[in-house]
Amino acid sequence: MDGPATSGEPTGGESAGIPQNLPRDVAALADKHLPGEPIVAYSECDVGEDLNYARNHVLLTGKHLLLLTPVSHQLFTLATVDEAGIEEGVGLDRLRVVVGGKLAGVSRYSRKHRMTMTRLNRKLQRRLPKSDEPLKPGEKPKTDDPPPIWLEDVERKAEAESYCRKCTHLIPSYADGVCPRCLQQRKILFRLLDSAKPYRSAVNFALGLTIVHAMIISVPVVINSRLIDNALAAVNLSNSARMGNLLLYSSLLLLIIALTEVIGGWRQVKLNTIGTQISRDLRHQVYAHLHSLSLRFFNKRRTGSLITRVTNDTDRLQEFIVYGTVNFIRDVLMVVFSAGIMFWLNWRLAIVALLPVPIVATLTYLRGRKMHKAWSRVWNYWSRISAVVGDALPGVRVVKAFSNESREIDRFDKRSNEYMQKEQETNRLWWTLQPIVSGIMRLGGLLVTLIGGLILIFDKSGHTTLGQLLAFSGQVWQFYGPVNELANANRMVTRAASSASRVYEILDTPPDIFDRQGAYKPDKIEGKIEFRNVWFSYEGAQPALRDVSLTIQPGEMVGLCGPSGAGKSTFVNLIPRFYDVTDGQILLDGVDVRDYDVHVLRRAVGMVLQDPHLFHGTISDNIRYGNPTATEAQVITAARAANAHNFIVGFPDGYDTMVGERGQSLSGGERQRVSIARAILHNPKILILDEATSSVDSETEKQIQQALDRLVEGRTTIAIAHRLSTLTAADHLVVLERGKVAETGTLEELSNKQDGVYAKLVNTQRELGSLMAVAG
């Protein structure tokens, strides 16, 4: 296949297409068959007529649909197309085009291209003629008004973000907008250093202390040389002179020791302070960015893996940013100072001492490449351990209910043993090469001692003294000490790069839901909700909602029902923008919800879920969660309205009772009433009830229903219920089936429609209730 066209250059007359994924040979054919027409959608189709692999293509412009195969092409004018759409199959879908009442074209593709073909189909449907009336003689087919510009812009932006701007490859869905091909270790590490910018002055001060410390450490070797030659081995001097020199040089060494320890301790305190501050900032950045991401991101991630990134990875990066960089500079300076002193003492011996350095550098580089891959694998296995713990502990009640403690322990031990094995393999790789590197460096010191000793024995000129040789030998180890640290630092750098790639995968993930510039912040929200031809798909392929149109008036209560998987939860999740619609619009008081400030929008929406989530804390804290500034009196009033006050005051600690993690110390009905009290105190204009009474007994349901009746007064309410009897208070019902609105009407109207979907649901529940009564 030819390479993709250059990103940013118009291809095939394109001004609003997707140049990143349009191959050059296809662009040339587009220029030939669609001259001057902007390409609005493109997809590859990889299955031929014989159901074998093929390289076919579909291109859509504002006026034409082009089906390309290696040997032929079909060009359709959209105004003449009777029908076109996708037929979904098991592992194989088809795009069918009907013209003049006959099947005129078919393109087949596998699931690999379902996302791009679904996008193309959505744009195609907006451009097809919609009139079902027969045309009069000479009359031209009517087409819909052009798609709204804002919708085309939103789609183009979403499609462009699916492809890497650098390498133009499709970014995998698991990577969430971060191209794995383009993550480079060096760029990541340099980017990490930006985290220290707010503390630049403190870092520079610590760096200054480090430089002074490195310089002072190199001085004792020179003083020792003088002490030996001018005191210990100076037989030509008087005893008093030798004693004076001994005291002088010893005093200097004592001063150097004191300065070294004071400066070293001061440096360590400064680095520790900076490190903890940077670690705090990194944790804040990652955790805050996680909260800005949509539910789509969390649907693809395991909680244990995310916790590891917020805690372990950020802590490891602190170690690199502070100690790694500053100590690197220290070691480099010590190497330079030591090398300079060695050449000053004896340039011939200095050359001998430096002979092993190229070998050490080469081995270090090769070891670093292997260790980077090894540490990435180790982290993956560590993440699996965290994921097992993250799965099991929140569900400990289910584990105990099924007596599966030993199974969970075995599952944990299996992951733990895998991690241990990979860590041992990595350590073996490290320590197999480490003795070689260390041995080569020690060989350099041995060569200096050997050659220096020969010079001292056979050179009678006196240019090389015993003090000089001992000083040089000490300086060699002073040289190879930081060289060894630099070689071992590769391990820290490798681990930091692995952690950084995981942290920046989160930080570089663009939020799906965000405020537009000049977002709408109304003073008051009435609560009118309107769905206009809404389509939604979680992964860009299989639609969860299909062409839903519906209007809910302010203060109206709408019951939402339908079989499992009909799209009820998806319907309500789109209103507060937990997800954005794939196609169409949702309007609140006549304004698209995407134009609202997200926080204002969500403050206007309250939700009572089937399985309410309570946070670890007191009952009072949980009720006050939606309104942190509420007074104690307001909390009690909300609890009374939710029929929760009586059971709360029955606890020894009353409203200060700790509910435990996820509210485990409360019953299901009690948790539900606390969540209703939380919604009442939140005081939303739009209320969503998602199976609020489905998992409680009849008496508790009665109490919850009374609380809900108080809660829904004066609010626009959408209630989802499997128990259809709980929808009697609804002004009208909406029945969903396979993502579409199957029926709407009052309870009486739908109940009397014997062949309707709602009537079938009611009959099914009655039969099930009769069977349960007989079984009881």
Side-chain angles (χ1 to χ4, degrees):
M1 177 184 289
D2 291 346
T6 304
S7 177
E9 297 178 359
T11 56
E14 178 179 0
S15 61
I18 316 171
Q20 291 99 319
N21 69 323
L22 187 59
R24 297 185 184 279
D25 58 337
V26 179
L29 292 172
D31 279 328
K32 177 180 178 181
H33 300 296
L34 302 167
E37 294 190 42
I39 300 171
V40 298
Y42 155 78
S43 179
E44 184 175 340
C45 295
D46 55 356
V47 180
E49 291 185 8
D50 57 358
L51 302 184
N52 290 322
Y53 173 79
R55 184 171 176 264
N56 301 331
H57 307 274
V58 180
L59 292 91
L60 175 68
T61 70
K63 298 180 180 179
H64 293 95
L65 179 68
L66 178 63
L67 307 185
L68 287 172
T69 72
V71 295
S72 64
H73 76 278
Q74 290 177 284
L75 183 63
F76 301 100
T77 302
L78 297 183
T80 64
V81 174
D82 298 336
E83 178 187 350
I86 289 176
E87 283 188 351
E88 296 175 354
V90 180
L92 181 68
D93 297 346
R94 300 191 304 166
L95 175 68
R96 300 172 69 256
V97 182
V98 178
V99 178
K102 297 181 179 180
L103 183 63
V106 177
S107 282
R108 301 170 181 85
Y109 57 94
S110 65
R111 293 180 64 90
K112 176 181 178 181
H113 299 289
R114 176 174 279 185
M115 180 181 293
T116 54
M117 281 299 297
T118 303
R119 287 174 174 173
L120 184 146
N121 184 52
R122 286 200 304 270
K123 296 182 179 182
L124 173 62
Q125 298 306 317
R126 291 200 294 265
R127 289 166 170 80
L128 290 177
K130 299 298 182 182
S131 177
D132 295 329
E133 300 177 1
L135 298 178
K136 298 177 182 179
E139 182 181 6
K140 293 183 178 180
K142 296 180 180 179
T143 59
D144 279 358
D145 295 332
I149 295 176
W150 66 264
L151 181 57
E152 295 286 311
D153 290 340
V154 168
E155 287 186 339
R156 272 199 301 275
K157 183 177 180 181
E159 291 163 3
E161 290 175 351
S162 299
Y163 296 87
C164 178
R165 296 181 179 179
K166 294 181 180 179
C167 66
T168 73
H169 285 92
L170 181 68
I171 299 175
S173 58
Y174 68 83
D176 287 309
V178 183
C179 181
R181 296 170 180 262
C182 297
L183 277 177
Q184 297 181 18
Q185 177 175 331
R186 290 182 180 178
K187 292 184 178 180
I188 288 176
L189 295 178
F190 279 116
R191 183 178 173 186
L192 270 178
L193 300 181
D194 291 339
S195 303
K197 280 186 177 180
Y199 310 99
R200 182 177 298 172
S201 58
V203 171
N204 289 338
F205 182 74
L207 184 59
L209 292 176
T210 299
I211 294 173
V212 174
H213 190 260
M215 294 174 64
I216 293 176
I217 286 178
S218 301
V219 174
V221 174
V222 178
I223 297 177
N224 278 325
S225 171
R226 296 292 184 268
L227 187 147
I228 293 172
D229 287 340
N230 298 331
L232 302 181
V235 294
N236 58 327
L237 297 179
S238 65
N239 289 341
S240 59
R242 293 171 66 186
M243 181 64 70
N245 289 336
L246 177 64
L247 293 176
L248 173 64
Y249 292 125
S250 297
S251 300
L252 289 175
L253 287 174
L254 179 62
L255 178 62
I256 293 298
I257 291 172
L259 283 174
T260 301
E261 295 303 321
V262 170
I263 294 174
W266 195 2
R267 166 184 172 275
Q268 196 67 32
V269 170
K270 293 295 294 184
L271 289 178
N272 284 334
T273 302
I274 298 168
T276 54
Q277 291 172 331
I278 290 177
S279 181
R280 176 202 60 193
D281 293 347
L282 282 172
R283 285 194 299 269
H284 170 79
Q285 290 177 27
V286 177
Y287 188 68
H289 191 72
L290 280 174
H291 279 288
S292 73
L293 300 176
S294 68
L295 295 182
R296 194 187 304 272
F297 175 87
F298 296 96
N299 292 341
K300 303 174 185 177
R301 296 294 190 279
R302 302 184 77 169
T303 304
S305 172
L306 296 178
I307 292 174
T308 300
R309 300 185 195 205
V310 176
T311 55
N312 292 16
D313 283 331
T314 54
D315 194 58
R316 187 173 294 166
L317 294 183
Q318 167 219 337
E319 180 184 0
F320 167 77
I321 294 170
V322 178
Y323 295 100
T325 54
V326 174
N327 287 350
F328 174 81
I329 295 174
R330 178 201 64 188
D331 292 335
V332 170
L333 290 175
M334 289 183 64
V335 167
V336 173
F337 292 153
S338 297
I341 292 174
M342 285 193 300
F343 274 96
W344 176 62
L345 291 173
N346 192 312
W347 66 269
R348 295 180 180 84
L349 289 178
I351 293 175
V352 173
L354 295 179
L355 288 177
V357 171
I359 303 174
V360 171
T362 302
L363 289 175
T364 300
Y365 172 75
L366 296 176
R367 179 175 63 176
R369 295 185 61 179
K370 293 182 179 180
M371 291 300 297
H372 178 65
K373 296 179 181 178
W375 278 116
S376 297
R377 289 194 296 268
V378 167
W379 183 90
N380 287 332
Y381 282 92
W382 176 258
S383 179
R384 293 179 185 182
I385 294 178
S386 302
V388 170
V389 176
D391 284 343
L393 294 187
V396 67
R397 181 173 295 183
V398 177
V399 173
K400 292 185 177 298
F402 287 90
S403 190
N404 267 342
E405 291 91 344
S406 59
R407 178 181 175 185
E408 290 300 326
I409 294 172
D410 290 342
R411 192 159 71 105
F412 176 84
D413 288 342
K414 178 183 177 182
R415 296 302 186 192
S416 182
N417 289 333
E418 290 174 346
Y419 172 76
M420 178 194 69
Q421 292 170 3
K422 291 300 176 182
E423 190 173 33
Q424 287 178 347
E425 290 176 9
T426 304
N427 288 332
R428 279 196 295 270
L429 174 62
W430 175 266
W431 292 112
T432 298
L433 293 175
Q434 178 62 20
I436 299 175
V437 174
S438 179
I440 292 175
M441 287 189 291
R442 297 184 72 177
L443 179 62
L446 178 60
L447 287 175
V448 167
T449 303
L450 177 62
I451 296 176
L454 293 174
I455 293 175
L456 189 63
I457 293 172
F458 293 104
D459 186 5
K460 303 301 182 180
S461 64
H463 294 302
T464 302
T465 65
L466 177 62
Q468 287 179 333
L469 180 58
L470 293 176
F472 196 94
S473 298
Q475 199 63 49
V476 168
W477 298 117
Q478 194 96 1
F479 172 82
Y480 274 109
V483 168
N484 188 47
E485 290 292 326
L486 290 173
N488 291 340
N490 188 269
R491 184 174 185 173
M492 179 193 296
V493 171
T494 300
R495 296 179 68 179
S498 299
S499 295
S501 64
R502 294 186 292 272
V503 168
Y504 283 120
E505 181 188 346
I506 292 177
L507 293 177
D508 289 343
T509 300
D512 292 337
I513 310 299
F514 53 88
D515 289 331
R516 295 181 178 177
Q517 189 174 5
Y520 182 49
K521 300 179 180 180
D523 296 329
K524 183 180 180 181
I525 291 178
E526 297 295 333
K528 180 181 178 181
I529 302 171
E530 185 178 359
F531 279 63
R532 289 184 182 175
N533 306 109
V534 170
W535 290 72
F536 177 76
S537 171
Y538 286 99
E539 295 297 337
Q542 189 74 18
L545 291 181
R546 306 166 186 260
D547 200 19
V548 173
S549 294
L550 180 68
T551 300
I552 303 173
Q553 298 299 331
E556 189 175 31
M557 181 177 180
V558 173
L560 202 61
C561 55
S564 296
K568 302 185 294 296
S569 295
T570 301
F571 183 97
V572 296
N573 283 336
L574 294 177
I575 296 173
R577 288 191 71 194
F578 292 155
Y579 304 92
D580 273 341
V581 299
T582 305
D583 200 356
Q585 282 181 288
I586 298 177
L587 306 178
L588 176 58
D589 294 343
V591 179
D592 194 303
V593 293
R594 288 169 289 195
D595 292 328
Y596 275 84
D597 179 273
V598 174
H599 297 287
V600 172
L601 173 66
R602 291 177 180 169
R603 289 291 302 174
V605 179
M607 302 188 76
V608 179
L609 305 176
Q610 176 183 1
D611 185 18
H613 183 97
L614 300 186
F615 296 93
H616 182 72
T618 66
I619 293 177
S620 178
D621 291 338
N622 275 278
I623 295 176
R624 196 183 273 113
Y625 188 79
N627 186 1
T629 60
T631 64
E632 203 65 37
Q634 290 173 320
V635 171
I636 295 173
T637 300
R640 288 184 184 276
N643 281 346
H645 178 74
N646 290 338
F647 81 78
I648 292 174
V649 296
F651 293 126
D653 294 327
Y655 282 85
D656 292 328
T657 300
M658 299 294 291
V659 301
E661 188 175 4
R662 299 173 184 254
Q664 294 293 336
S665 62
L666 303 181
S667 69
E670 289 170 344
R671 289 199 302 271
Q672 192 62 276
R673 279 176 279 174
V674 170
S675 74
I676 293 173
R678 180 169 60 191
I680 291 174
L681 194 60
H682 177 48
N683 194 28
K685 191 62 181 178
I686 299 169
L687 181 64
I688 295 173
L689 307 176
D690 191 353
E691 308 285 357
T693 62
S694 64
S695 58
V696 296
D697 58 79
S698 299
E699 181 60 32
T700 305
E701 180 184 2
K702 181 180 178 181
Q703 293 180 338
I704 293 176
Q705 194 60 54
Q706 290 173 349
L708 291 176
D709 291 341
R710 301 187 190 102
L711 179 58
V712 302
E713 291 180 4
R715 310 178 199 276
T716 303
T717 305
I718 302 174
I720 301 175
H722 278 159
R723 293 183 184 178
L724 301 180
S725 59
T726 61
L727 297 177
T728 54
D731 295 307
H732 68 271
L733 304 182
V734 176
V735 183
L736 294 178
E737 186 177 37
R738 298 187 64 187
K740 295 183 178 181
V741 176
E743 296 174 338
T744 59
T746 64
L747 178 63
E748 183 179 358
E749 290 171 348
L750 296 184
S751 298
N752 294 331
K753 193 175 181 181
Q754 296 302 318
D755 295 333
V757 177
Y758 179 80
K760 292 179 181 178
L761 289 173
V762 173
N763 292 333
T764 301
Q765 285 200 3
R766 286 175 181 169
E767 293 174 3
L768 182 61
S770 300
L771 290 173
M772 292 179 65
V774 171

